[in-house]
Amino acid sequence: MNTIRQDVATLGSGWNNKVLLNYALAMRELDKLPITNRNSWKFLGAIHGFDRQLWVEVNVLGDSDPVPKDLTNFTYGSQCQHGSWYFLSWHRGYLAAFEAIVAAKVKELTGDDWALPYWNYLNDKNPEARRAPEAFLANTLPDGSPNPLKKYPRRQGFTTLRPNSLDAFSLAAMQENDFQVGNDGSIGFGGGVTGNFAQFARWTGDLENNPHNTVHRLIGGGEGFMADPYLAALDPIFWLHHCNVDRLWEAWMNTPGKTMVRDPRWLDGPADRRFIMPAVGGSDPGMKFTGRDTLKDGKLHPSYADLSIGTGVKPGVEAVTRVKMGAPEQQNIEPIGANRSVVTVGGAPVRTQVDLDRQATSTGIAAMGATDLGQPVTRLYLALESVRGSAPSPQLAVYINLPKDSDPQQHPECHAGSLTLFGLNVASRPDGGHGGHGLGYTIDITDLAQRLTDAGDFDPDYLRVTLVPGEQVSADKPVTVERISVLKRSGIVS
Amino acid sequence: MQPGPVLLSFTRAPWPLLFATAGLGLALCLYTTGHSTLPAFCSAVGGLSIVTSWPTALKAELALNPAQHMLADWALMLLAMMPPLLAMPLMHVWHSSLPRRRIRAALVFLLGYTALWMAAGPLLMVLALLLQLSVADAALATALLAALLWSASPWQRAALNRGHRMRRIGLFGWTADRDCLVFGAAHGALCIASCWAWMLVPLLGGAWHIPLMLVAGAIMLVERLAPGDRPRWHWPAILPRLDLWLLITRKVAHSHD
């Protein structure tokens, strides 16, 4: 065994997978520790998200269990970063701290070295890639004792990631060339700009939206811990999922043509609160870090056995699937259309009209296909702004110019994209970091707009957008979208 | 809060413009202090009985300082203290609007915001006058205590939280103007709820009017930049932490043992 992170599917099946057996043994011991211990399983989970009342309700904590102050006083607790450009760097630091603590426990118990494996669920060369490793499904360990890797609840009957007809579970995010575009922050691979600590900020990056959010819902469903950011990190499969998301980021950064952000607000931020993780043993002062520490040559930069299989890119090889649009800070983003009122989606699809600025839309459409160096080029995006709701990870599918009263599933050609709104419950809390402002999502509709234009079904005056509710959306738990807009991203072919 | 990254973020748009605007407001306040109204407001009425004399005092005050002058000085105070608090909502209005309408949208937002604060001004001035009449020399100390209490309260926390939430802005026609105006007014109302107590302090500052404006402005900015939290009674962010103070004093005591 070594300390390079490897594909869990290559490490053996069932309990022959010694990395997972050691993981289970270490987790069992860490889970016995009280939450007051900074290396306990519960403390590590609470770093992602913590709500005492919820944890008591789901029997993770007892009514009278003492909770350490540093989980509730803005030190260690509830740090997870989503909907912003800190999503990837914060989770990288989180994985590193977790891996060190588990590895130390494995060493203590077995004498083995240990590295966190990744779940390569989008490896199209492995027909079983989407099936959870057997060790997470078995009821018992080889010695007959209960399997800690299956201790916390998941979607009923979960064995395999099964995207439904509304999902678009893919590596499309890897096609984006820029980590963050312009100063607007609404578009990019890695999430929107913020200088501040925010558990759920405003704009979700492409990789976070899919596959990250999608996998959380596919495992968690309506009742499992993975669907809720307050509970997700308690499920041991969380760490293998995030390890793969982290690997996708690493593969993306190692691919020529991709532009990683170098803004000092990202490198050294956030400004208002430090990211901090417990050290092995839990002693003070813990490990503080910033985005800079997570990059190559940084103290938290990981090693992966492979960055090609199941990533959609080949590190070191430039394969431009989208035309490059120039330096991110020189690209421009502007709204060119918006609907007229707040949309509420309950148990049935909702249709809304997005009015467009004719001139800006026409010039945008004309420049969509540009490929010649130095030519102006545009991409179009549908933005769902300030999305709010009470469910932890509801699902919405978005269609454009769907024929009236038709079944969305009969019109895949109108499907713009699918969203899993992971953490919507947290982002919508009035006492949260943004006063319950909710989350924002952008969907690249350039190719769809091109198809509609070619078919003569793109009116530069308006679009018809239909939001189709999926899991966790109902009349009792609706999702509201403050504004649906169309954004035009402009650059120069480079 | 890390001072380095915070100060660095102030070098980016729209902060330089907002600080420059505040600086202009401060310069105008300094200029008018010489001829002036609001600092004189407090000292002119000291010692009168709140029960019997406040109508007389108010009349005397208005004779000394005509209402339009007081409102003009209030407007300058707002210009000097409020611009840095508006970075987030102004950027939201800017990015949410068509490029050709952005300046107009920002101005309409500011109209709604300022209208609310201008309406709040006379109420705060009357409150300052009542404090001056009722506790005279202790008026400033009372206002400071009230501001600290307000900063510690769940109500101010709730208003600050709510102020982080942006509103939808329409893209076209009169609905876009309406949305900007309503957003400005709504944000102004939440800003008043968050900041009224600290705005009262310089009103009672007398000769310390300008320095207290700077201090109160800085405190309001720190409170605005602090992360959201559950509304509850808490130790004001601008005060040294009591538990840290106790820890330090205990350590010092031990070191002498």
Side-chain angles (χ1 to χ4, degrees), chain A residues 74 202 263-265 270-272 274 334-335 337-341 355 357 388 430-431 434-437 482-483, chain B residues 1-2 5-6 8 12 92 95-100 102 161 164-166 168-169 171-172 227-231:
Chain A
F74 301 115
R202 297 185 63 186
D263 189 310
R265 290 173 296 175
D272 56 346
R274 300 294 301 269
E334 60 182 89
N339 70 333
R340 296 178 189 176
S341 59
D355 299 321
D357 182 88
R388 291 194 286 272
D431 56 357
H434 284 286
H437 184 71
E482 192 88 351
R483 186 172 97 156
Chain B
M1 199 170 286
Q2 301 184 77
V6 171
L8 188 67
R12 293 176 174 274
H92 173 68
H95 287 308
S96 299
S97 302
L98 286 173
R100 64 174 179 270
R102 281 175 172 167
N161 285 347
H164 283 297
R165 187 158 154 181
M166 304 294 115
R168 148 192 183 93
I169 302 289
L171 208 56
F172 303 104
D229 189 12
R230 190 159 51 86

Side-chain angles (χ1 to χ4, degrees), chain B residues 37-59:
Chain B
T37 50
L38 283 177
F41 173 80
C42 317
S43 53
V45 294
L48 296 176
S49 156
I50 188 172
V51 180
T52 58
S53 307
W54 82 267
T56 316
L58 190 58
K59 274 184 196 165

Side-chain angles (χ1 to χ4, degrees), chain A residues 21-31 102 105-106 109:
Chain A
L21 178 59
N22 284 345
Y23 184 33
L25 296 174
M27 181 199 160
R28 184 168 64 184
E29 294 307 306
L30 295 173
D31 205 25
V102 174
K105 182 54 74 177
V106 169
L109 295 172

Side-chain angles (χ1 to χ4, degrees), chain A residues 25 43 51 66 72 179 203 206 219 224 240 243 258 264 282-283 288 294 305 331 367-368 419 429 477 490:
Chain A
L25 296 174
F43 191 94
D51 180 316
T72 55
F179 192 84
W203 289 109
D206 292 351
I219 298 174
L240 277 72
C243 194
K258 309 295 187 189
S283 60
K288 290 178 178 164
T294 65
Q331 295 175 40
M368 279 193 311
L419 303 170
R429 283 175 67 145
K477 289 199 168 182
S490 311

